[in-house]
Amino acid sequence: MNLEEALKQVENASNQIVKANQTITDIIMNTYLFTWRWWLGVSMLIIPWVIWVIFRKKESSSRFIHAAFILIIMTLFLDLIGVLNGYWVYPIKIFPPAIVFFPFQISVLPVLLMFFLQIKPTISPYIKALIFGFILAYICMPIMKTLHFYKPIHWKYTYSFIILIVIYLVAHWFGRASNFEEINKGNEQVKMIKSESLRIFRRSKAR
């Protein structure tokens, strides 16, 4: 195969992707839009974050969101690999032309992670990772399959269980409190120095 033939095949494949996206958009607009499953998907995207805003531990929000952001990047990347290689599909889409199921990846997963980090922080992260992976792989995913939000093809829940454990531990490592505590301590020291300098300046001026 020469370069021109390869470029032609890439162009044809890109055209097929465009047609597939158009088909998905038509299906959403004519079949799923405003049905109870569509509204459920939208609710899954919004409600977890609303709950998080209400019950979050404000002083630790930065490190929790940092960990959640790392999780979102990892899950979206792995999801794209899984879908593109035919390991699983998301039959019902909420937003065209989404390949992944965004309510799960950018709402349910990260919010659940942040609550796990917030609740009982002294518990071993390995225990939390096991519970996190079990809930998502053996409870959430079967429910999503029943609702036709998720369909494994060449995949098993146990694979997801193992991957989710690793993802939790990586996100936990990135969101460790010590890094943020050092930043906060540094900011506090700067404030103390400024305050002390201002106090000395005012004293000397009074003299």
Side-chain angles (χ1 to χ4, degrees):
M1 180 188 302
N2 56 36
L3 179 60
E4 291 184 0
E5 292 175 345
L7 293 174
K8 186 65 176 178
Q9 289 192 12
V10 170
E11 183 179 351
N12 292 335
S14 298
N15 291 333
Q16 291 177 12
I17 292 174
V18 172
K19 290 180 180 178
N21 288 332
Q22 290 174 346
T23 300
I24 291 173
T25 302
D26 291 339
I27 291 172
I28 292 174
M29 299 300 295
N30 298 319
T31 306
Y32 302 145
L33 191 65
F34 301 132
T35 63
W36 69 269
R37 283 189 174 86
W38 186 85
W39 283 113
L40 179 59
V42 173
S43 300
M44 289 171 62
L45 183 64
I46 298 173
I47 292 177
W49 283 106
V50 174
I51 295 174
W52 165 249
V53 170
I54 295 172
F55 296 102
R56 78 189 191 281
K57 188 178 180 181
K58 294 181 180 180
E59 59 270 23
S60 301
S61 294
S62 296
R63 67 183 181 90
F64 291 154
I65 292 175
H66 182 255
F69 183 71
I70 296 298
L71 178 140
I72 290 171
I73 293 175
M74 290 189 292
T75 53
L76 287 176
F77 177 74
L78 293 173
D79 239 346
L80 286 173
I81 293 176
V83 171
L84 294 175
N85 285 279
Y87 295 133
W88 60 81
V89 295
Y90 296 101
I92 294 181
K93 314 291 185 182
I94 304 302
F95 305 110
I99 296 178
V100 300
F101 188 67
F102 281 115
F104 193 66
Q105 279 78 14
I106 68 174
S107 184
V108 175
L109 274 173
V111 170
L112 185 61
L113 168 77
M114 289 189 290
F115 276 120
F116 263 71
L117 293 174
Q118 176 174 307
I119 298 172
K120 301 291 184 182
T122 57
I123 294 178
S124 169
Y126 298 100
I127 295 176
K128 285 189 174 183
L130 289 171
I131 299 173
F132 180 81
F134 181 85
I135 291 174
L136 290 168
Y138 296 117
I139 298 177
C140 293
M141 287 184 175
I143 292 175
M144 288 180 60
K145 180 182 177 182
T146 301
L147 295 171
H148 303 292
F149 287 147
Y150 168 71
K151 181 181 179 181
I153 300 175
H154 303 293
W155 198 253
K156 295 181 179 180
Y157 294 127
T158 302
Y159 302 157
S160 296
F161 173 65
I162 296 171
I163 291 174
L164 286 165
I165 289 174
V166 175
I167 287 175
Y168 180 91
L169 292 173
V170 172
H172 171 83
W173 184 83
F174 273 98
R176 285 185 303 179
S178 58
N179 296 331
F180 291 90
E181 287 174 356
E182 290 174 2
I183 294 173
N184 292 332
K185 287 178 181 177
N187 291 334
E188 290 175 0
Q189 290 176 355
V190 170
K191 290 179 181 178
M192 289 177 62
I193 293 172
K194 288 182 178 179
S195 178
E196 183 65 20
S197 299
L198 182 60
R199 187 178 64 83
I200 295 172
F201 174 76
R202 287 176 177 175
R203 182 182 296 177
S204 62
K205 189 175 180 181
R207 291 176 181 176

